[in-house]
Amino acid sequence: MKINEKQKTGETFTKNRHYRLYFSIFNLAEAQQQLIELSGIIKNTGTRKGLDSVKVQIENTEDTSFTDPLGNFKIRTRVTIPFRLVINKDGYTPQTVEVLSPSSKISVGLNPQNTIIDAVVISASRTPEKILRSPIAIEKIDIRTIRKARPLPFMKPSKT
């Protein structure tokens, strides 16, 4: 039994139609995740001025943006609403903001945060110290360097 050319062409056409339908559904699902562009401004709560280089990231994604020198930012994503923005800058308390609408401009104020640094140990010794043997970082300075240094307010002698 021979299959004629019309039957082959019909089978191929039917297969191609199924593939086209499959890819159309796939493209429709992809189109439903529209590209959203959010914009806003990040300000210092004390000075009310825009903050430069603040990191704005969509939580649990790699979608990230940074603010310009005036504190403005724009971020694009395909994440569905609602989602959260994580706002971060060194020296400020981090904040998380929930985004419920793509049309609203976001305005966030960051509070300055006091950061405690590690303790500094100052010690004096008349015997030379070996830098490599010390468990802490050692910087050697001489009396000339100390005399040239500008005294800080807490270093001024008391009048008692």
Side-chain angles (χ1 to χ4, degrees), residues 19-37:
Y19 287 126
R20 286 182 191 154
L21 179 63
Y22 171 74
F23 286 119
S24 297
I25 292 171
F26 180 73
N27 287 338
L28 180 64
E30 188 175 303
Q32 286 178 344
Q33 285 189 329
Q34 294 177 354
L35 184 65
I36 299 170
E37 181 174 287

Side-chain angles (χ1 to χ4, degrees), residues 3-13:
I3 300 174
N4 64 22
E5 289 300 318
K6 286 187 178 181
Q7 287 177 335
K8 282 185 180 179
T9 307
E11 287 176 20
T12 306
F13 178 73

Side-chain angles (χ1 to χ4, degrees), residues 120-132:
V120 176
V121 178
I122 300 174
S123 67
S125 175
R126 291 180 182 239
T127 60
E129 300 282 335
K130 294 226 179 210
I131 293 175
L132 297 176

Side-chain angles (χ1 to χ4, degrees), residues 51-107:
L51 289 172
D52 184 20
S53 302
V54 178
K55 182 180 178 183
V56 180
Q57 182 175 12
I58 296 173
E59 192 174 55
N60 301 323
T61 70
E62 293 182 12
D63 297 339
T64 304
S65 179
F66 288 89
T67 59
D68 64 12
L70 299 175
N72 299 309
F73 72 91
K74 285 185 180 177
I75 189 166
R76 293 181 177 165
T77 186
R78 291 196 185 275
V79 176
T80 56
I81 292 181
F83 56 84
R84 292 179 179 201
L85 289 178
V86 179
I87 301 164
N88 229 330
K89 181 172 174 70
D90 288 339
Y92 292 86
T93 306
Q95 281 197 14
T96 303
V97 177
E98 184 136 3
V99 176
L100 302 172
S101 167
S103 60
S104 61
K105 188 169 181 177
I106 298 164
S107 181

